[in-house]
Structure formats: structure tokens, C-alpha cells
């Protein structure tokens, strides 16, 4: 007996998705910067006053090809 499994698929996206695993209902910001050097500045990508669910995916609307590389962080806003 031979069983053939369905082959896995991969979704390729042109825009990076940042998955936030955090407490729903709290205030978060997703920030980015183009270098990890301490002097580089974090920029606001999106403000989420009340995280609707967890995990929650945020997409950067700027294609990677337009900016090179980016680094992201999610910050809890008190």
C-alpha cells in the first residue's frame, strides 16, 4: 500500500508580515529601522491602540526591493 501525501505549498509575499504574539486589548506599536546600530532611529510603522487578536499580522506596505532590509520591533505602549 502506498500513500501519497499532498505536497506542501509556500506563499511568497512581496511585503513582509510581522506577526505579533501579545495580549489582545493592549496598546502596541510596530516600529522599524534600516540598521541595528545603536544610533539609528526607530520609525513608526503602525499604531495599534487595541490589539484585536493574538497572533496578529501587520504588513509593511513598502516592498523590500524599495528599501533594502528592515528590522522590526513591537512595543507595548503604557
Amino acid at each position: 500500500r502506498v500513500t501519497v501525501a499532498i505536497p506542501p505549498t509556500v506563499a511568497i509575499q512581496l511585503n513582509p508580515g510581522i506577526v505579533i504574539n501579545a495580549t489582545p486589548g493592549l496598546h502596541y506599536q510596530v516600529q522599524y529601522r534600516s540598521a541595528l546600530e545603536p544610533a539609528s532611529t526607530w520609525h513608526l510603522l503602525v499604531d495599534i491602540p487595541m490589539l484585536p487578536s493574538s497572533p496578529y499580522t501587520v504588513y509593511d506596505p513598502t516592498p523590500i526591493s524599495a528599501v533594502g532590509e528592515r528590522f522590526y520591533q513591537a512595543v507595548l505602549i503604557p
Side-chain angles (χ1 to χ4, degrees), residues 7-55:
T9 59
V10 175
I12 298 173
Q13 300 181 13
L14 298 177
N15 297 27
I18 300 93
V19 178
I20 302 171
N21 287 300
T23 305
L26 298 181
H27 186 181
Y28 294 90
Q29 288 184 346
V30 175
Q31 302 170 352
Y32 71 91
R33 63 183 179 183
S34 57
L36 289 179
E37 299 159 0
S40 62
T41 303
W42 288 101
H43 303 281
L44 179 64
L45 178 66
V46 65
D47 185 56
I48 309 165
M50 289 185 65
L51 188 68
S53 62
S54 182

